[in-house]
Amino acid sequence: MNTKIYTHVHSLAEELMVAVQKKDQVRFDKSYQELKQVCDDNDNTDKDHPVQWETLADFTDDLELAITIYDKALTKAQEINSKDFLSSIAYSTALLKLELGEKDSAIEYLEKAKVSSNKIVDKELKAEIHDLLMDLKDQETVNESE
């Protein structure tokens, strides 16, 4: 990824975090729109990268829209075969699916994340993916036996 764009996306993420902490909606909206513009400007160019889309989804309040953006980020991650991004994006999507009550879909995303996470260094993320997937599958087993 272009270092200048990564730095810009990172600084916008920091701005968004500060706005959230300070409950500054005006600042949040301004930074969010700027990040969205970066994503739109870079979409399908050589500057396109899943990190910008994942970051945009991370700060999207509308869960359905966030999932749509995560799905776009997943496509971008697949294009560059980034196991780290494939794992983290699929995991984040699964969490939103659970929040929406879509357990089966969450499991599908977690299974994809688990496959991708076999090739990553982040042991904490691997464990979170594994543990959540096992918990959900255990719940399925309990529900089926009742």
Side-chain angles (χ1 to χ4, degrees):
M1 170 175 213
N2 180 306
T3 305
K4 185 176 177 183
I5 294 169
Y6 177 82
T7 302
H8 189 202
V9 168
H10 184 73
S11 70
L12 286 170
E14 288 176 342
E15 277 289 313
L16 287 160
M17 288 300 298
V18 169
V20 168
Q21 291 167 350
K22 292 186 176 186
K23 297 184 169 116
D24 184 343
Q25 192 63 48
V26 172
R27 185 177 186 177
F28 180 90
D29 292 345
K30 180 181 177 286
S31 297
Y32 183 88
Q33 279 309 120
E34 190 174 341
L35 177 58
K36 185 175 182 329
Q37 191 63 52
V38 168
C39 291
D40 291 342
D41 289 348
N42 295 333
D43 194 15
N44 296 319
T45 71
D46 61 338
K47 297 177 182 176
D48 204 0
H49 196 277
V51 73
Q52 63 199 16
W53 296 101
E54 181 179 23
T55 305
L56 183 64
D58 288 345
F59 290 100
T60 300
D61 293 330
D62 178 325
L63 299 184
E64 294 288 347
L65 179 57
I67 289 168
T68 300
I69 297 168
Y70 278 134
D71 282 339
K72 187 168 193 160
L74 272 173
T75 299
K76 306 292 181 181
Q78 288 167 339
E79 288 171 3
I80 63 170
N81 196 26
S82 171
K83 303 301 183 191
D84 290 299
F85 284 109
L86 287 167
S87 302
S88 66
I89 296 165
Y91 178 70
S92 295
T93 307
L95 293 176
L96 293 186
K97 289 289 190 175
L98 280 177
E99 206 169 321
L100 291 170
E102 299 175 17
K103 186 174 161 186
D104 290 342
S105 184
I107 290 172
E108 288 176 28
Y109 277 95
L110 286 169
E111 286 174 340
K112 291 176 189 174
K114 185 170 174 72
V115 170
S116 298
S117 71
N118 288 332
K119 306 271 181 172
I120 66 171
V121 177
D122 188 341
K123 290 180 177 156
E124 188 175 321
L125 178 59
K126 276 184 186 183
E128 288 175 10
I129 292 166
H130 173 81
D131 292 348
L132 183 54
L133 183 57
M134 292 303 103
D135 287 347
L136 293 175
K137 286 189 171 189
D138 287 347
Q139 288 173 14
E140 272 190 344
T141 304
V142 168
N143 290 339
E144 289 172 0
S145 65
E146 292 178 348

